[in-house]
Amino acid sequence: MKYPDISIVICNYNYGNYITRAIRSCLSQRNVNFEVIVVDDCSTDDSIDKILAFGNDVRLIRNKKNMGVAESSNIGLNAAKGRFVIRVDSDDFVNKDMCYFLITYLESNMDAFCVSCDYWLVDDNENKIERKYAKIDNVSCGILYRKDQLINLGGYNTKMRHREEEELRKRLGTEYKVHNLEIPFYRYRMHQNNKTKTNEYKKVVSAEASQLL
């Protein structure tokens, strides 16, 4: 059995309004051998029905209790069959050539632990708002990792509910060599239900700040 080269991991919690678009964009990847894994973190909306509609094209993992994005990401990471792994948020979507360009880069630059791409902020109707450069304003998704290296380095800190990528970069220091392609393959959706706008997110982020000092 031939394993995929890339595992695309989508962590989802109550984003039934957006999960279909996210999955479709991941399944549209071309010129690469990949799989799509969705880790659902105990959604209470119609997310599961939306995910199951894709049948065998998607591997669904359902958490038995709400674990948070860091733990859910680790669950997807450890279930991944690919040599490389990349995360896509369930309310975002990606360009169909993203994985091809990122894996080509990593296979040509063996010193790179991972490679990120730039992104566009888009509105709820998918209109472009602003071009973002990942070297300056990095996000946790749209980064292709060498899976075994990420696992060996401990993956994400499960104590972090939201700032898991920031903590990872700080913890790994010079070992964490982020390369970047200045091509905006990723689409970061801005909408009223973004987790970054909730009071719960703001409280947790404030509490986690001390762990990043």
Side-chain angles (χ1 to χ4, degrees):
M1 177 180 178
K2 181 176 176 57
Y3 286 111
D5 291 316
I6 296 176
S7 296
I8 304 172
V9 176
I10 304 173
C11 296
N12 177 71
Y13 176 67
N14 283 350
Y15 272 156
N17 288 339
Y18 304 106
I19 187 65
T20 296
R21 180 68 173 102
I23 293 174
R24 278 197 295 109
S25 73
C26 292
L27 290 174
S28 74
Q29 297 303 294
R30 57 186 182 180
N31 300 317
V32 291
N33 182 22
F34 67 93
E35 65 173 349
V36 176
I37 301 171
V38 178
V39 181
D40 187 80
D41 204 17
C42 288
S43 292
T44 57
D45 63 357
D46 62 348
S47 290
I48 296 299
D49 290 337
K50 297 284 184 65
I51 299 165
L52 289 175
F54 288 93
N56 293 330
D57 289 335
V58 172
R59 291 173 58 196
L60 172 61
I61 299 173
R62 301 176 67 172
N63 292 344
K64 294 182 179 180
K65 63 178 182 179
N66 187 270
M67 309 288 285
V69 67
E71 181 64 26
S72 294
S73 296
N74 282 343
I75 289 170
L77 174 64
N78 286 291
K81 296 179 180 178
R83 296 181 293 126
F84 304 92
V85 64
I86 187 169
R87 288 172 51 194
V88 173
D89 275 347
S90 55
D91 55 340
D92 297 336
F93 57 101
V94 298
N95 181 279
K96 59 189 175 183
D97 290 314
M98 179 185 71
C99 286
Y100 172 73
F101 275 81
L102 295 182
I103 193 173
T104 299
Y105 185 92
L106 282 187
E107 289 182 330
S108 301
N109 294 273
M110 298 305 296
D111 61 319
F113 168 53
C114 63
V115 59
S116 62
C117 65
D118 291 343
Y119 58 101
W120 281 98
L121 295 181
V122 300
D123 64 20
D124 226 353
N125 295 315
E126 302 186 8
N127 298 307
K128 294 175 181 176
I129 301 172
E130 182 181 359
R131 160 73 182 268
K132 288 289 188 177
Y133 295 86
K135 278 188 176 181
I136 301 171
D137 297 306
N138 59 76
V139 291
S140 57
C141 296
I143 308 170
L144 187 67
Y145 294 93
R146 299 185 192 278
K147 182 190 71 177
D148 291 344
Q149 288 188 28
L150 182 56
I151 290 175
N152 289 339
L153 290 167
Y156 295 102
N157 184 341
T158 58
K159 294 180 180 179
M160 309 297 290
R161 295 286 293 187
H162 297 294
R163 301 177 72 172
E164 73 287 345
E165 179 68 25
E166 187 177 351
E167 189 278 337
L168 177 63
R169 293 180 185 233
K170 181 176 178 61
R171 172 164 42 96
L172 300 181
T174 57
E175 290 187 85
Y176 189 89
K177 297 179 180 178
V178 182
H179 291 217
N180 184 68
L181 278 181
E182 291 189 355
I183 308 175
F185 289 121
Y186 199 87
R187 303 291 185 266
Y188 189 101
R189 191 192 298 267
M190 304 298 293
H191 56 85
Q192 291 300 313
N193 296 317
N194 279 113
K195 71 176 184 180
T196 54
K197 296 181 179 179
T198 66
N199 289 330
E200 185 272 340
Y201 174 85
K202 294 174 183 177
K203 290 178 181 178
V204 173
V205 164
S206 178
E208 290 179 347
S210 62
Q211 300 183 51
L212 297 172
L213 298 177

